[in-house]
Amino acid sequence: MALAIIEAFPTIEILHNAALSEYTNTDTGGPADWLAFPTTVAETQRLVQFANQHDLATTIIGNASNLIVRDGGIAGLVIILTKMNTIEVQSDAIVAQAGAALISVSEKALDESLSGLEFAAGIPGSVGGAVFMNAGAYGGEISQAVTSATVLSTTGEITVLDAIELDFSYRHSSIQDAGGVILDATFTLVPGEKATIKFKMDDFNTRRAEKQPLEWPSCGSVFKRPKGFFAGKLIHDAGLQGYTSGGAQVSMKHAGFIINIGNGTATDYLDVIKHVQETVFDKFQVHLETEVRVIGR
C-alpha cells in the first residue's frame, strides 16, 4: 500500500505513520496510517475513490479544533483539508472551501461590510467542520448563514445540498448521518455597517478571551447544552473545576472546557469527560452529551 498510494498521488503531500497530535488543538492523538493534504477538489475526490477501491478506511479532518483523536491513532487514510482554503465573495454571498478557517470567513465578511457571521469571529474551526456540526456561539449558528454546501459522497460523487437537505439542528447536520466530505459552503449574508459589524465581532472576541482558557490547548466546548441547563454551570456546581487526570484538567476559567496542562493524552481527556459525566449525573440526574467528536482506535 505504501508504494501504491505514493505512486498514485506524487503531487500530494502524504505522510506515513504521522502523529496527529501535531494537528489537533488538544495536542493529543495517536498516529494516522496515512495522512494526506490535498489542495484541490479533484485531488480530494481521487483520494476518496482510491481509498474505496483499496478498501482503505477514510477519515476527514479540518482544523481539528473540536476533536479528540484517541491515542491509538486512526487506521487507513486521514485527509486534512486545511490546504483547501480559498474564500470568494459573490455579491452578498461568500463561498469558502472546507479547509478555510471560519474566523477568516468572518473577517472577509467584515471587509465586505456583510453581516451574519459576527458570532463566528472567534470560533477556531474550519468551514467544513463548522457546517458538519452546525457550530455556533453567542446565539448564532452556522445554519443561520449557510444556504448550500458542496459535498463529496462516500462513493466519490459530488453534489450540492441546500439548507433543507443539510437538515441542520443543534450541533447536527445531515452529513453526520449520511457521511461524505464537505468541500465548500455558501454563506448568504446581508449588507451592513462595517463599524457595527466590527463592534459586534470585537465584543464577542473580548468576551471569549475573558471567559475561555484560550491560552491552553483544548478541544473547545466539550459538552452540548442540556435542555434547561448550562453544561458549564452544572460542572461548576458539581465542584469539578480543577479536576485533573494525567495532563487533562477541567478549566478553572470555564468549566465547560478541558485543557491540556502538559503532556496530556487523549486517554486523559476521555477519563476527565467520563468523570464529569458521572459526577454531574449523580448530583443532578442530568446526562451531559459530548459536543466534541471522538474518533480513532
Side-chain angles (χ1 to χ4, degrees):
M1 181 58 70
L3 192 58
I5 195 168
I6 290 170
E7 282 187 344
F9 303 101
T11 62
I12 301 176
E13 180 185 3
I14 299 178
L15 306 177
H16 178 51
N17 203 33
L20 290 168
S21 57
E22 296 183 17
Y23 305 95
T24 62
N25 280 24
T26 58
D27 292 346
T28 66
D33 289 352
W34 298 100
L35 182 59
F37 299 86
T39 60
T40 68
V41 167
E43 287 179 348
T44 305
Q45 186 177 30
R46 285 173 53 219
L47 282 166
V48 169
Q49 290 170 341
F50 176 92
N52 285 338
Q53 292 163 5
H54 292 83
D55 294 322
L56 197 61
T58 305
T59 303
I60 309 299
I61 292 178
N63 211 32
S65 58
N66 201 216
L67 182 72
I68 294 173
V69 177
R70 294 186 181 94
D71 296 321
I74 300 178
L77 175 65
V78 176
I79 300 174
I80 290 185
L81 297 178
T82 49
K83 289 188 177 182
M84 285 178 49
N85 55 19
T86 62
I87 301 171
E88 296 180 356
V89 179
Q90 299 177 359
S91 185
D92 293 344
I94 293 178
V95 181
Q97 286 188 306
L102 189 60
I103 290 172
S104 298
V105 180
S106 71
E107 290 172 347
K108 175 62 77 172
L110 170 63
D111 291 342
E112 301 292 328
S113 299
L114 294 173
S115 177
L117 281 177
E118 290 88 340
F119 72 91
I123 296 177
S126 65
V127 166
V131 173
F132 180 86
M133 68 172 294
N134 189 21
Y138 298 110
E141 286 186 331
I142 286 297
S143 59
Q144 297 166 0
V146 169
T147 48
S148 67
T150 305
V151 178
L152 177 66
S153 74
T154 54
T155 56
E157 299 164 342
I158 295 176
T159 58
V160 177
L161 302 182
D162 62 24
I164 293 175
E165 293 169 311
L166 288 166
D167 192 26
F168 288 118
S169 58
Y170 178 65
R171 300 299 177 263
H172 174 270
S173 74
S174 62
I175 310 302
Q176 294 179 22
D177 305 320
V181 184
I182 296 166
L183 298 172
D184 67 37
T186 298
F187 300 85
T188 301
L189 307 172
V190 295
E193 291 291 332
K194 192 169 188 176
T196 303
I197 296 168
K198 187 176 188 305
F199 177 83
K200 289 180 181 178
M201 291 171 66
D202 289 346
D203 177 52
F204 289 147
N205 281 330
T206 298
R207 287 156 64 181
R208 188 181 299 271
E210 288 174 349
K211 295 179 180 179
Q212 297 180 8
L214 304 182
E215 65 274 23
W216 294 96
S218 82
C219 54
S221 181
V222 177
F223 301 101
K224 294 180 181 180
R225 184 178 65 244
K227 190 172 182 179
F229 299 91
F230 291 99
K233 187 175 189 307
L234 289 169
I235 297 165
H236 168 79
D237 291 348
L240 288 166
Q241 282 181 279
Y243 175 82
T244 304
S245 177
Q249 181 183 87
V250 178
S251 169
M252 293 296 296
K253 192 172 184 179
H254 190 308
F257 283 66
I258 298 173
I259 58 176
N260 186 341
I261 58 174
N263 300 312
T265 66
T267 300
D268 294 339
Y269 265 84
L270 297 175
D271 287 345
V272 172
I273 288 171
K274 184 170 185 283
H275 180 75
V276 168
Q277 288 174 320
E278 290 175 347
T279 303
V280 168
F281 188 80
D282 286 346
K283 287 182 177 290
F284 307 113
Q285 288 72 58
V286 177
H287 174 65
L288 292 180
E289 184 180 351
T290 52
E291 174 178 312
V292 64
R293 187 175 168 218
V294 180
I295 61 175
R297 295 178 282 211

